[in-house]
Amino acid sequence: MIEDIKKYRYTDGKPNLRRFHQARWDEPVIFELNQPGQRGVLLPATEAEIKEEVGDVLATIPETMRRKQPPALPEIAQAQVLRHYLRLSQENLGADLNVDIGQGTCTMKYNPKVNEQLSRLPGMAEIHPLQDEDTVQGILEIMYRFERMLKEISGMDRFSFQSQAGSQSIYTCAAIMRAYHQANGEASQRDEVITTIFSHPSNAACAKVTGYKVITLYPDEDGYPDLIALKEAVSERTAGLMITNPEDTGIFNPKITEFVKVVHDAGGLCFYDQANANGILGITRARDAGFDMCHFNLHKTFATPHGCGGPGGGAAGVSKELAKFLPVPVVGCDGSRYFLDYDRPDSIGKIRSFYGVAPVVLKAYAWVMSLGAEGLKEVAQVAVLNNNYLLKKMLEIPGVSAPYAAGKHRIEQVRYSWQDLYEETGISSEDIGLRAADFGLHYWTSHHPFVVPEPNTLEPTESYTKAEIDEYVGVLRQIAQEAHTDPDLVRTAPHNSTVHRIDDHDPLDNPEKWAVTWRAYQRKLKQK
Amino acid sequence: MNQKKSVVYPYIPNSEPAIKKQMLAEIGVSSIEALYADIPEALRLKKALDIPEPFLSEYELVRHVEEILAKNKTCKDHLNFRGAGCYQHFVPAVCDEINGRSEFLTAYAGEPYDDHGRFQALFEYSSMMGELLEMDVVNVPTYDGFQAAGTSIRMASRLTGRKEALVCGPISPDKLSMINTYCSPDISILQIDFDPGTGQIDLDALEKAISKKTAAIYFETPSYLGLVPIQGKEISGLAHKNGAECIVGVDPISLGILAAPSQYGADIVCGDIQSLGMHLQYGGGQAGFIATRDEEKYLIEYPSRLFGITPTTVPGEYGFGDVAYERTSFAIREQGKEWVGTASALWGITAGVYLALMGPQGLTEVGQVVMEKSHYAARQLAKIKGLESPKFTGPFFREFVVDFSQTGWTVSEINSALLEFGLFGGKDLSQEFPELGECALYCVTEILQQRDIDRMAAAVKEILK
């Protein structure tokens, strides 16, 4: 009789949890693959006539500036290099492979394959940044068009795409803030930037790099940014406000216009960190709330891939008044021809080489063009729908809570707390995260400091199905149960992942032991 | 019945009306609107966004984007002699295969347990860079070579407690602009000139400028104008004698033949890795590295992630994790070193693949071939009447300055004419270095063949005839 395999995969009509096992190739470090004499790739040689004409060109370089020994790189044939890296890739959990709602604040949405293909066409991949403008009209047109879209989405008047990621955009805006106060002769007086603890740490860190003292506000009792605290913090020393909204808790600050007004009245500028913009596209705009500057992460909100941590894309937007300070160049159009505008004497100068990550701008543009105005709003609405559905399901798990704004809905993410579970079982949020790896899922706690105890930040975006969200919640429910029934299983996780737990962090924190390269590791082993 | 049917978007599974309704019911609200209750009415956008009509089908989207990109002329259908910070080197197919893998391309910030591959690949990248640089600490890539230089100078300032840096020799004005903006709150940047004949750093000027206020001397090899400084030891000696750090900016692809800067006294080495397996991408392939000796005082000044190797609970298993994480802005916000965030990890992984494919022989060969071909090109141009090529007598790698001032033509005119021959001529330097007159920076890598170089030289000759 033919067997019904499927029936074993369901309990009470619901799918069982996935019996996942991550790839475990037990792959050596690449230097161990060394086979002297082998080649991974051969290069075009120099023609004999050239050699004859130029002679020993290396002799033009003095002995002291020439390499004596070839670099001690491994020697590996091509298929073996490929195999090594393919194995490493399999030991990595890309968003394409998992229900990647566990990396809250990161907006791990689907990165359309077609956009990736477009970005690898010769018309994008094989153009040099210093080609004459007439030969790069296509990419300039893309940048120009995309700037128009972001202007409409944010209400701002000009954008620069020169920054390579969110933090560099935040830095750009901090530098513009400084330039603005310098132009007004108030730079030395205005030396403080105000941020909130649930804004990304880069707001505080970039302000500091720009030369500011940082004042960090904590939330009021309900978890909203504290307006009274802000009023106490502002003064003639205030350079500006740099905040995320909705904050990393997923809570939208309903008094945001008052925040802006308080800072404006004190003579400061307001920067809107829009890393969490996914739930508000087409719903509300930075400029309409009175902000002077904002930024978007193209690798978050605009669906370009995160690349293991870059290259991303940052878009820094400013009001008309601040446009003259943007990095050079910006893209202009005289009606028929696109050009790079360097004639900007008040500019803060360069932030990054060339014009930022152009292929990321292309991918973001293609993404918007696949959706249009209605589609963008649909993105936001479904991201919020998914998040509030997830919130409902999460709160059904004993041991989890969503601190602050009790009973309220959230925008695109929530910072949960496993404090109750921790008190009952001793299983921490970090333990839960490691166990989640056994189910093929990412899991993130929170930025530091942990204001929310035993935190866990989840952001389901618009990209996942109800069944996938249910799967994620199902795994967390299972782990919460295990915390009671078999806490050691959780405490010793992961079991089904590529590697096991690192219990001893001394080799990563002790200068005698840490090794950031293989050569450092070999040297320290010999010294042992 | 002409009612518009709502679109179910392929990237938004829950845009399907029935499922949406079901989820709203589970939440206990009647509409998505209700979920936005915290956003005040006054802030709600009352109109539809004014952006172009979309191409809902993937096919139409491709047509649209391809039509725009077709307006670009590319370095595939033209011979390219432009570099100046972004280089058209050979990109092995395996590099693209690996950086196009979903597992790497779409991952982000997972833990070493679920994203072990990324940690190992980046540890290996740093390790291979370490061999090339002969240094024990190399960071997970930062944004680009500009950022690497800016951060290196800030690191030196923190290390020495001093607030002045000397930037020596020809440097990209764009890079100098970035360094100035980045360091300006508390570090002064002073520029040390180069000899107009050799292009070498003016040591006398450097000696006069250095003092106990100097945090660092920064110079590049090859420099922005392609020149290889010959006084590495003297410069680092001068830095150390004055208690300053010696920072050297380098393109790692040159290090198969050029000495690793650590060998002539560099304390911090930085640069861009775009040459190591990244396509041009209109400048999108840049990524920066910073390297130092493995001393605690250096390591704790890095803002970047540093991935280290460590045992796990299973004997023989390689584990990886963040080294000295507590120094970062992730850990301690504004108290951390500068900031850390998304930067260029995928290009780091790709550069690792490139170095593994090339090996010691490949790196040595590419350096040699680039030297030979670029020198050949300089000689062919030198044969043309009125051209000074190379303009500077000092040694050069990959790029050299050609002076057209005696021809009566501007570089801009020559480049426009070269375009008609299907060529992108050298980078016009007349705006950035007006004191040089009508000069261009020509770049020749291993991918250009003798016939390509000859074709370029013949075209220049033809234009000037």
Side-chain angles (χ1 to χ4, degrees):
Chain A
M1 209 168 66
I2 187 163
E3 190 179 14
D4 180 6
I5 304 168
K6 192 168 167 247
K7 74 176 180 193
Y8 300 106
R9 301 179 63 83
Y10 290 80
T11 308
D12 300 331
K14 287 188 178 155
N16 298 337
L17 290 185
R18 203 179 288 275
R19 288 165 294 183
F20 173 80
H21 202 299
Q22 174 70 301
R24 185 186 293 160
W25 286 104
D26 203 15
E27 190 63 8
V29 170
I30 196 157
F31 290 89
E32 296 172 82
L33 302 178
N34 183 38
Q35 291 282 329
Q38 301 215 326
R39 300 294 302 263
V41 70
L42 298 177
L43 296 168
T46 307
E47 292 84 346
E49 266 182 53
I50 291 185
K51 274 192 178 291
E52 199 175 310
E53 179 161 348
V54 299
D56 181 11
V57 281
L58 295 187
T60 61
I61 297 164
E63 198 68 31
T64 50
M65 300 300 280
R66 270 153 65 179
R67 190 165 199 122
K68 309 284 182 305
Q69 296 288 330
L73 295 168
E75 298 175 71
I76 314 170
Q78 190 170 111
Q80 285 63 37
V81 172
L82 176 73
R83 191 167 295 124
H84 173 72
Y85 279 99
L86 285 181
R87 287 171 174 172
L88 293 187
S89 78
Q90 289 199 339
E91 293 177 335
N92 210 59
L93 203 51
D96 279 352
L97 285 155
N98 80 107
V99 182
D100 216 341
I101 70 182
Q103 301 188 69
T105 77
C106 300
T107 317
M108 302 302 292
K109 59 171 68 180
Y110 174 56
N111 313 133
K113 292 293 127 184
V114 63
N115 300 348
E116 194 59 33
Q117 277 187 7
L118 292 169
S119 77
R120 289 170 188 250
L121 292 173
M124 178 68 254
E126 306 295 348
I127 52 175
H128 191 281
L130 299 174
Q131 281 179 220
D132 303 344
E133 284 165 4
D134 286 340
T135 69
V136 287
Q137 286 294 299
I139 188 61
L140 293 179
E141 182 176 340
I142 297 274
M143 293 166 98
Y144 186 84
R145 282 168 170 255
F146 188 59
E147 183 186 359
R148 272 174 52 178
M149 291 168 169
L150 289 191
K151 279 154 61 174
E152 175 65 12
I153 290 167
S154 65
M156 292 292 167
D157 295 302
R158 284 287 344 224
F159 270 85
S160 164
F161 306 129
Q162 202 172 107
S163 45
Q164 182 147 343
S167 297
Q168 206 176 24
S169 287
I170 295 172
Y171 166 71
T172 301
C173 291
I176 289 173
M177 190 182 285
R178 189 178 64 190
Y180 169 82
H181 291 306
Q182 262 162 4
N184 291 341
E186 294 191 333
S188 51
Q189 171 202 326
R190 296 192 178 275
D191 61 352
E192 291 176 353
V193 160
I194 302 166
T195 185
T196 65
I197 194 68
F198 289 133
S199 295
H200 191 281
S202 285
N203 288 285
C206 292
K208 172 83 178 306
V209 170
T210 315
Y212 290 115
K213 297 188 185 76
V214 178
I215 298 172
T216 303
L217 305 182
Y218 280 70
D220 67 15
E221 278 178 9
D222 298 324
Y224 290 95
D226 193 335
L227 186 60
I228 296 166
L230 176 72
K231 284 178 178 165
E232 283 165 8
V234 294
S235 71
E236 69 288 345
R237 294 182 64 179
T238 303
L241 177 74
M242 302 184 72
I243 51 170
T244 309
N245 187 38
E247 295 196 299
D248 285 356
T249 50
I251 296 173
F252 190 93
N253 179 357
K255 295 179 186 156
I256 194 69
T257 43
E258 287 157 85
F259 269 64
V260 170
K261 187 168 182 308
V262 166
V263 174
H264 279 167
D265 286 349
L269 293 177
C270 295
F271 163 73
Y272 194 149
D273 176 333
Q274 297 221 286
N276 298 338
N278 203 44
I280 56 172
L281 296 170
I283 304 290
T284 185
R285 311 197 296 179
R287 188 68 184 140
D288 296 346
F291 281 90
D292 308 288
M293 299 178 274
C294 75
H295 96 285
F296 293 104
N297 294 46
L298 303 184
H299 52 287
K300 292 181 179 173
T301 312
F302 291 87
T304 75
H306 289 70
C308 280
V318 296
S319 65
K320 201 172 285 169
E321 195 184 4
L322 299 178
K324 62 181 179 182
F325 298 117
L326 281 174
V328 278
V330 293
V331 180
C333 180
D334 65 10
S336 58
R337 184 178 168 276
Y338 300 93
F339 61 93
L340 293 163
D341 180 5
Y342 282 92
D343 185 16
R344 306 179 68 78
D346 296 311
S347 164
I348 57 168
K350 295 294 287 186
I351 292 295
R352 181 204 181 268
S353 39
F354 308 114
Y355 331 106
V357 191
V360 167
V361 174
L362 173 79
K363 284 182 254 193
Y365 171 80
W367 183 74
V368 174
M369 285 307 295
S370 73
L371 291 160
E374 278 178 39
L376 282 186
K377 197 169 177 182
E378 188 73 11
V379 164
Q381 292 187 327
V382 173
V384 173
L385 174 73
N386 286 353
N387 185 46
N388 284 281
Y389 174 78
L390 175 65
L391 172 63
K392 178 85 186 343
K393 294 286 154 188
M394 282 292 290
L395 293 180
E396 290 168 5
I397 302 175
V400 75
S401 64
Y404 304 131
K408 296 277 184 74
H409 301 295
R410 304 286 174 111
I411 306 296
E412 86 305 354
Q413 66 194 9
V414 177
R415 182 154 293 159
Y416 298 93
S417 173
W418 291 96
Q419 179 67 13
D420 293 346
L421 186 83
Y422 178 69
E423 283 170 13
E424 287 162 24
T425 66
I427 293 298
S428 68
S429 178
E430 203 172 316
D431 291 327
I432 297 171
L434 266 60
R435 178 68 176 140
D438 284 337
F439 297 91
L441 296 172
H442 282 125
Y443 176 101
W444 188 58
T445 50
S446 157
H447 286 297
H448 296 273
F450 285 1
V451 178
V452 169
E454 299 303 328
N456 171 208
T457 315
L458 304 179
E459 181 186 11
T461 80
E462 74 281 11
S463 297
Y464 302 95
T465 63
K466 178 175 168 296
E468 287 174 323
I469 297 170
D470 288 341
E471 178 181 345
Y472 197 94
V473 174
V475 167
L476 292 190
R477 186 182 296 116
Q478 163 81 15
I479 298 171
Q481 250 166 38
E482 290 169 357
H484 289 280
T485 57
D486 193 358
D488 273 350
L489 182 70
V490 182
R491 217 171 269 127
T492 54
H495 307 282
N496 304 333
S497 196
T498 302
V499 289
H500 296 82
R501 194 175 278 232
I502 297 160
D503 270 346
D504 179 10
H505 284 261
D506 195 46
L508 299 171
D509 288 321
N510 180 346
E512 304 290 313
K513 292 184 187 173
W514 67 35
V516 174
T517 55
W518 187 246
R519 60 191 273 128
Y521 188 55
Q522 300 307 309
R523 178 172 53 75
K524 288 181 180 180
L525 284 175
K526 274 190 204 136
Q527 284 168 358
K528 196 173 71 172
Chain B
M1 288 297 285
N2 201 12
Q3 217 179 1
K4 206 174 149 196
K5 194 169 164 265
S6 68
V7 181
V8 177
Y9 296 89
Y11 308 155
I12 316 176
N14 296 340
S15 61
E16 195 276 314
I19 196 92
K20 214 186 260 182
K21 215 171 137 188
Q22 190 191 338
M23 290 172 76
L24 284 170
E26 295 227 26
I27 298 168
V29 293
S30 56
S31 72
I32 291 179
E33 275 301 298
L35 303 175
Y36 284 114
D38 260 352
I39 305 182
E41 192 54 30
L43 288 184
R44 302 297 293 274
L45 188 64
K46 308 289 189 310
K47 57 159 196 157
L49 290 172
D50 181 18
I51 57 176
E53 281 298 310
F55 297 98
L56 292 175
S57 82
E58 185 170 309
Y59 175 76
E60 288 166 299
L61 178 72
V62 169
R63 282 286 291 268
H64 167 72
V65 175
E66 281 181 348
E67 274 165 24
I68 298 177
L69 288 183
K71 297 172 191 171
N72 292 336
K73 295 185 165 73
T74 77
C75 296
K76 269 247 186 277
D77 49 34
H78 287 63
L79 286 179
N80 173 42
F81 291 87
R82 235 159 266 190
C86 183
Y87 300 102
Q88 194 180 9
H89 286 284
F90 165 65
V91 176
V94 176
C95 288
D96 287 338
E97 176 68 26
I98 296 303
N99 68 33
R101 290 285 295 190
S102 271
E103 295 91 330
F104 283 141
L105 180 68
T106 68
Y108 196 23
E111 297 295 319
Y113 308 102
D114 25 42
D115 286 359
H116 174 84
R118 144 176 160 263
F119 277 83
Q120 182 165 343
L122 285 165
F123 172 82
E124 292 180 348
Y125 153 76
S126 293
S127 296
M128 287 184 276
M129 285 292 285
E131 294 302 338
L132 202 51
L133 297 160
E134 303 190 24
M135 285 189 128
D136 279 1
V137 178
V138 181
N139 65 343
V140 173
T142 178
Y143 303 121
D144 65 347
F146 286 21
Q147 181 68 38
T151 287
S152 295
I153 291 171
R154 273 185 171 270
M155 285 170 69
S157 172
R158 290 194 294 269
L159 274 158
T160 57
R162 300 176 180 186
K163 301 288 179 190
E164 200 174 275
L166 305 176
V167 172
C168 308
I171 181 169
S172 145
D174 278 357
K175 188 186 273 185
L176 190 60
S177 161
M178 184 276 171
I179 290 173
N180 266 312
T181 302
Y182 193 66
C183 297
S184 59
D186 49 16
I187 306 168
S188 318
I189 305 297
L190 305 178
Q191 230 187 319
I192 304 299
D193 225 338
F194 56 96
D195 183 278
T198 61
Q200 292 290 320
I201 293 158
D202 184 341
L203 278 188
D204 290 341
L206 181 58
E207 214 160 345
K208 281 197 193 100
I210 197 163
S211 73
K212 299 294 174 200
K213 284 191 279 184
T214 309
I217 297 178
Y218 171 88
F219 71 95
E220 297 179 343
T221 175
S223 73
Y224 182 60
L225 299 182
L227 295 152
V228 177
I230 58 172
Q231 334 97 316
K233 265 214 158 71
E234 288 82 346
I235 296 171
S236 70
L238 210 49
H240 296 149
K241 204 172 84 187
N242 287 275
E245 301 291 314
C246 178
I247 307 173
V248 178
V250 68
D251 189 326
I253 204 165
S254 66
L255 294 182
I257 55 158
L258 297 184
S262 53
Q263 297 307 305
Y264 46 85
D267 304 295
I268 305 175
V269 183
C270 61
D272 205 299
I273 57 172
Q274 182 271 330
S275 295
L276 307 180
M278 265 56 74
H279 294 274
L280 299 171
Q281 302 172 77
Y282 203 52
Q286 313 299 128
F289 75 87
I290 302 170
T292 59
R293 294 187 293 278
D294 184 8
E295 292 170 21
E296 187 178 3
K297 67 170 185 171
Y298 285 100
L299 189 139
I300 58 166
E301 292 304 336
Y302 280 86
S304 338
R305 306 284 291 268
L306 298 166
F307 291 164
I309 193 164
T310 186
T312 73
T313 49
V314 173
E317 201 170 72
Y318 289 124
F320 300 92
D322 276 281
V323 168
Y325 187 73
E326 284 303 314
R327 71 200 144 74
T328 67
S329 65
F330 277 163
I332 51 172
R333 296 172 73 91
E334 74 271 17
Q335 304 307 325
K337 312 293 180 184
E338 301 167 48
W339 74 79
V340 62
T342 302
S344 310
L346 191 66
W347 298 153
I349 293 171
T350 307
V353 176
Y354 180 87
L355 292 173
L357 288 166
M358 293 285 281
Q361 293 190 66
L363 256 296
T364 308
E365 284 170 15
V366 75
Q368 168 120 14
V369 172
V370 165
M371 282 289 284
E372 288 166 343
K373 289 183 173 176
S374 53
H375 277 74
Y376 176 77
R379 282 169 182 245
Q380 303 321 300
L381 289 170
K383 290 173 188 166
I384 299 168
K385 196 165 163 261
L387 296 195
E388 201 180 346
S389 170
K391 180 176 177 59
F392 298 105
T393 55
F396 66 88
F397 177 84
R398 185 176 54 195
E399 286 173 289
F400 55 95
V401 175
V402 183
D403 192 345
F404 292 85
S405 302
Q406 301 306 313
T407 64
W409 287 67
T410 65
V411 173
S412 168
E413 288 164 349
I414 288 167
N415 281 347
S416 296
L418 282 172
L419 206 48
E420 302 294 316
F421 288 83
L423 296 159
F424 299 144
K427 147 99 173 137
D428 188 348
L429 294 173
S430 62
Q431 300 288 317
E432 296 184 335
F433 295 86
E435 70 276 17
L436 296 181
E438 288 299 326
C439 279
L441 182 64
Y442 272 74
C443 173
V444 177
T445 72
E446 76 282 9
I447 68 163
L448 290 171
Q449 301 181 340
Q450 184 183 5
R451 59 192 171 119
D452 301 328
I453 298 166
D454 289 347
R455 200 179 117 198
M456 180 273 290
V460 172
K461 196 172 176 183
E462 176 72 23
I463 292 161
L464 295 176
K465 199 165 68 184

